[in-house]
Amino acid sequence: MNVKTKGLALLFCFCLLATAAHAAKDSSNLTIDKGRVYLNLKDAEIKSVLQIFAKATGVNIVAADDVTGKVTVTFSGIAPKEGLEAVLRTKGLDWFEDHGTIFVSTKKILRTYYLANAKPSDLQATISSVLPGGSVVTADDSYNVLVIQTTSDYLPRLEKLITELDIPPLQVMVETRMIEIRNDHGGTVGTDLNYQKGSSANNTVQTVGQAGRPTADGAQGLYAHALSIFSSGSLEGYLSALATQTKLNVVATPKLTTLNNKEAHLLIGAKLGYKTTTVTATSTTQTVNFLEVGTTLTIKPNVTKNGYIRMIVRPKVSDGTVVNDVPDENTTETMNEIMVKDGQTFVIGGLTKEKELETNYGVPFLMDIPLIGSIFRKTVTTKEKTELLVFVTPHIITPEYLDILNKPIRELSEQAARQKANLIH
């Protein structure tokens, strides 16, 4: 054996002795008493610590090549597997046990969970918040699946959490009655003139329709008749005034059904379209938007554990126009958050709006003459003030409530079956 070979052999032996001494030193700091581990190490190699816990737990531990680094450990009486999990979590390592052997690696475990009831995207944020850093949660609503990549020590609590959250969602049916109380202060004012020369009916000039005659069918209001004798004819005038008033109007009685914590929306009116243009350095994009006018109602229920229903209710009454792609809206709206019992009714009021409309009817040209034009003109004025009352009654859809809802359908089906049987026989 030459000198070089002898030197390498001596170096190898020295390394073995150093490793053995280091392991002996680590082992000397290990005490196991009544199933509890007492350990005090500073800057120890992670694989050496795993060897110690293999002895403490009595199971095999296999570490991948990428498991490296040092760790400082001080345990004053801890269960062996709890101590092992604490060390691995500190180093960001993953582990799982299979057939009595613990496998340790830096790679995370990938799991796929198909949900039976819940929507994956609804659970994504909750699950991500309880997993350690570096974990990835992907939600696919198309396939109703959650794909999760995390450390294996989190799998038991993760599966328990998913089981607790993947339950059938509650549904709420909201009965709504929207009643419009209207005060119309409007009416008509007009004058009819009739001039007749002599006794011939052909020599007559008159206006018709500006005022209701006393003999006209359905004529109402105040009438005045004036007669003036001229040397060659007579002049008659009829004055009428009529006021109208309307009180009550049921706008709609919809029933909205939605999932717990999901929004439902109702629109009775119109959508007015308009364009918005977005200009960037490279392109110009036009988007079509819509202005909703009329009566809208937005409801979002939340069912509490004790059977109450917390609701956000946003009724709105509006009208508006779109001119040159610029929307203009007049609106009365409110947002309410209340809590009621299942089946309890509450009322939202105070949504008022007022408008005035004046329409002129008359003889062309003559009705526009200053001062005397009113004689040849009929004016219809409408001044309308409305208040919307919204009655809301929520119901939690339970099997018992579904049975009540389906009872008329079952009775009709049974009646149709009996009639069919009578026709056959």
Side-chain angles (χ1 to χ4, degrees), residues 70-122:
K70 296 183 178 182
V71 64
T72 298
V73 178
T74 301
F75 289 135
S76 300
I78 190 172
K81 285 195 175 181
E82 291 179 3
L84 175 62
E85 182 178 349
V87 171
L88 296 177
R89 187 176 297 176
T90 301
K91 297 298 293 182
L93 298 171
D94 184 36
W95 67 276
F96 65 95
E97 186 173 354
D98 187 16
H99 295 89
T101 299
I102 296 176
F103 297 89
V104 181
S105 173
T106 59
K107 298 179 180 179
K108 292 180 171 57
I109 300 299
L110 186 68
R111 290 289 186 272
T112 301
Y113 299 94
Y114 287 91
L115 304 184
N117 301 289
K119 189 177 180 181
S121 57
D122 291 342

Side-chain angles (χ1 to χ4, degrees), residues 12-62:
F12 180 70
C13 292
F14 177 77
C15 292
L16 288 177
L17 290 173
T19 303
H22 188 267
K25 181 181 179 181
D26 289 345
S27 300
S28 65
N29 292 329
L30 172 65
T31 303
I32 302 175
D33 184 21
K34 297 180 181 180
R36 314 295 289 184
V37 174
Y38 299 82
L39 184 62
N40 185 16
L41 299 174
K42 183 177 181 181
D43 293 334
E45 291 291 338
I46 184 65
K47 289 186 177 180
S48 299
V49 177
L50 294 180
Q51 291 176 2
I52 294 173
F53 276 99
K55 177 181 177 181
T57 58
V59 297
N60 301 319
I61 297 180
V62 178

Side-chain angles (χ1 to χ4, degrees), residues 257-332:
T257 302
T258 182
L259 294 176
N260 189 29
N261 286 318
K262 296 297 182 182
E263 194 173 88
H265 184 71
L266 170 71
L267 169 64
I268 304 173
K271 290 184 177 183
L272 307 179
Y274 61 95
K275 295 179 182 178
T276 57
T277 303
T278 304
V279 180
T280 64
T282 58
S283 64
T284 300
T285 305
Q286 281 192 335
T287 306
V288 178
N289 301 294
F290 292 93
L291 172 66
E292 293 185 352
V293 294
T295 302
T296 63
L297 179 66
T298 303
I299 296 175
K300 185 178 181 181
N302 172 259
V303 181
T304 64
K305 200 168 185 179
N306 57 359
Y308 280 80
I309 304 173
R310 179 185 290 110
M311 297 184 66
I312 296 176
V313 184
R314 295 196 299 271
K316 176 180 175 182
V317 179
S318 66
D319 54 50
T321 58
V322 175
V323 179
N324 296 326
D325 284 331
V326 177
D328 183 26
E329 180 183 23
N330 272 330
T331 179
T332 302

Side-chain angles (χ1 to χ4, degrees), residues 205-234:
V205 177
Q206 65 176 347
T207 61
V208 178
Q210 310 288 52
R213 303 292 183 91
T215 57
D217 294 338
Q220 302 178 54
L222 174 65
Y223 303 90
H225 173 231
L227 178 63
S228 177
I229 304 298
F230 293 87
S231 60
S232 59
S234 63

